[in-house]
Amino acid sequence: MGFKYVFIPASPNDDMQEMEYETDITELEKDSFRSFVEKFFAAAGQSADREILLQQLKERTGVDLQEKADKGEMANDMLDKLLSTSSVEIFPVQLPTKETCFQGVSVYLDDKGVAKNLEENIRVSSLVQACGYPGQTIRGDCFIGRVFDDTQDEWRRMDFTLKDCSTDAEWIHVTKMQRANRKSGDLQSMANSIGVNNPARIDPSMLADSAPKGETADYSWKQSEDEVEVTFKKEGLQKGDKKYVKVAFGRKRLRVEVKDQVIIDSSLAGNTTADECTWTLSDGVLQVTLAKADEGTWPELLEA
């Protein structure tokens, strides 16, 4: 039977399109829709600003690739190939929780939208802002899709239609409430963790280093309100080695294998929204981003 999704062009003069994916997708590990979206953005072919891309990669990975190339530690043609590779960014708008009947909604967009100076997608930006993300802007053509994820046994793609693209849609109201409750709950949780009774009086400097983080011989990890970032640094690993990297996301499990070496295969200390978890690869660095499904901070990365 398949499922419906919506394509929203960046230009407001182009019509939004309700489209149908012909086959059902009921396993996250076999999500061909995501591959379809990646191919779409790869085929778009817009040129990107090199300096902006280099800065973005440095911010994400902590590695100055241009400096490595200048020192001869990385081939220039390899750097050029890395910067020209297109991928997809997933912006999780609605998280699948009990309050949302375990339904999640995500926007799929070109991950180099800023570097390519793509036109702001006013219609998608308006939807996202109406959901409780003030000031958030989305660039370029976008896809919007919905999944069901009960965080236990069932995961599947569901219909998302043109009717859902109204700022008056019920899912947007629910998401706005979810965002408000999530922020409040996380703030209270962090307040409790550092012994502050009145979260309204928390100073940002008090919270800067309060969330647990850590480092081992194989990786380092840190967390924000919504995500956990795990960074693996491995000499000799290059962007072109993507085929040697295997990352499997479970609701409460992470497995990472690089060149037949299993680095992590363990239960996590918290639940994740597996559909929104991602990984990126650059020379020497593999970064895994875990989307939190539950409120609050993780005491550790892995379950004891």
Side-chain angles (χ1 to χ4, degrees):
M1 293 179 60
F3 57 90
K4 296 177 181 178
Y5 61 97
V6 173
F7 174 65
I8 304 182
S11 173
N13 297 321
D14 296 334
D15 293 336
M16 298 189 296
Q17 302 176 46
E18 181 179 298
M19 310 181 79
E20 186 165 352
Y21 202 80
E22 295 183 353
T23 58
D24 291 335
I25 298 179
T26 58
E27 295 181 56
L28 178 61
E29 294 76 13
K30 299 179 181 179
D31 185 10
S32 58
F33 177 73
R34 180 167 173 172
S35 300
F36 157 74
V37 174
E38 288 178 342
K39 291 178 181 179
F40 172 87
F41 290 119
Q46 299 99 322
S47 60
D49 186 292
R50 184 184 179 90
E51 294 302 318
I52 294 178
L53 280 181
L54 286 168
Q55 183 60 34
Q56 288 178 332
L57 287 170
K58 182 178 180 180
E59 291 174 355
R60 293 178 183 176
T61 67
V63 178
D64 190 330
L65 296 178
Q66 186 61 64
E67 181 180 353
K68 288 175 69 69
D70 293 341
K71 291 181 178 180
E73 299 175 2
M74 178 182 185
N76 283 312
D77 59 346
M78 183 63 68
L79 178 58
D80 292 339
K81 184 177 180 180
L82 169 66
L83 297 179
S84 64
T85 301
S86 294
S87 187
V88 60
E89 178 179 347
I90 302 176
F91 187 95
V93 185
Q94 181 184 67
L95 300 178
T97 64
K98 183 178 181 180
E99 290 74 19
T100 64
C101 297
F102 299 108
Q103 295 182 21
V105 175
S106 296
V107 175
Y108 300 78
L109 61 150
D110 191 322
D111 73 333
K112 296 183 176 66
V114 174
K116 293 179 179 179
N117 195 29
L118 298 182
E119 176 183 2
E120 180 183 351
N121 195 317
I122 300 296
R123 291 174 292 193
V124 177
S125 294
S126 297
L127 284 175
V128 171
Q129 291 168 14
C131 287
Y133 297 84
Q136 180 67 50
T137 58
I138 304 294
R139 292 175 177 265
D141 298 338
C142 298
F143 297 89
I144 304 183
R146 173 180 280 130
V147 299
F148 176 90
D149 183 359
D150 67 0
T151 72
Q152 296 295 326
D153 304 310
E154 187 176 359
W155 184 96
R156 67 179 187 276
R157 288 204 171 272
M158 302 176 61
D159 286 343
F160 187 90
T161 68
L162 281 175
K163 291 183 179 179
D164 293 313
C165 293
S166 167
T167 54
D168 295 328
E170 177 64 19
W171 78 271
I172 290 183
H173 172 72
V174 171
T175 304
K176 187 174 182 179
M177 295 296 294
Q178 179 191 58
R179 288 281 299 167
N181 292 336
R182 184 182 179 89
K183 289 179 179 178
S184 175
D186 284 349
L187 189 58
Q188 182 65 64
S189 175
M190 295 188 83
N192 293 338
S193 70
I194 60 176
V196 178
N197 294 323
N198 185 357
R201 298 188 62 185
I202 296 178
D203 184 89
S205 63
M206 299 168 66
L207 300 176
D209 296 314
S210 62
K213 56 186 176 181
E215 185 171 358
T216 72
D218 295 317
Y219 61 85
S220 61
W221 72 281
K222 61 182 180 179
Q223 61 185 304
S224 63
E225 177 183 343
D226 301 319
E227 297 178 340
V228 177
E229 289 187 358
V230 189
T231 302
F232 303 85
K233 294 185 179 180
K234 193 172 182 62
E235 291 296 329
L237 187 64
Q238 299 181 338
K239 176 70 174 182
D241 293 333
K242 187 175 181 180
K243 61 183 178 180
Y244 300 117
V245 176
K246 298 179 182 179
V247 182
F249 298 110
R251 293 168 182 83
K252 201 175 180 180
R253 193 170 187 87
L254 173 65
R255 177 184 170 87
V256 178
E257 180 180 330
V258 179
K259 294 185 176 180
D260 296 325
Q261 177 187 357
V262 178
I263 302 177
I264 285 182
D265 187 6
S266 304
S267 296
L268 298 167
N271 293 323
T272 69
T273 305
D275 182 44
E276 312 300 349
C277 296
T278 60
W279 62 273
T280 58
L281 179 64
S282 59
D283 286 349
V285 177
L286 168 64
Q287 182 169 302
V288 173
T289 301
L290 304 172
K292 292 181 179 179
D294 303 320
E295 296 179 353
T297 58
W298 291 10
E300 300 287 347
L301 173 63
L302 304 180
E303 189 173 55

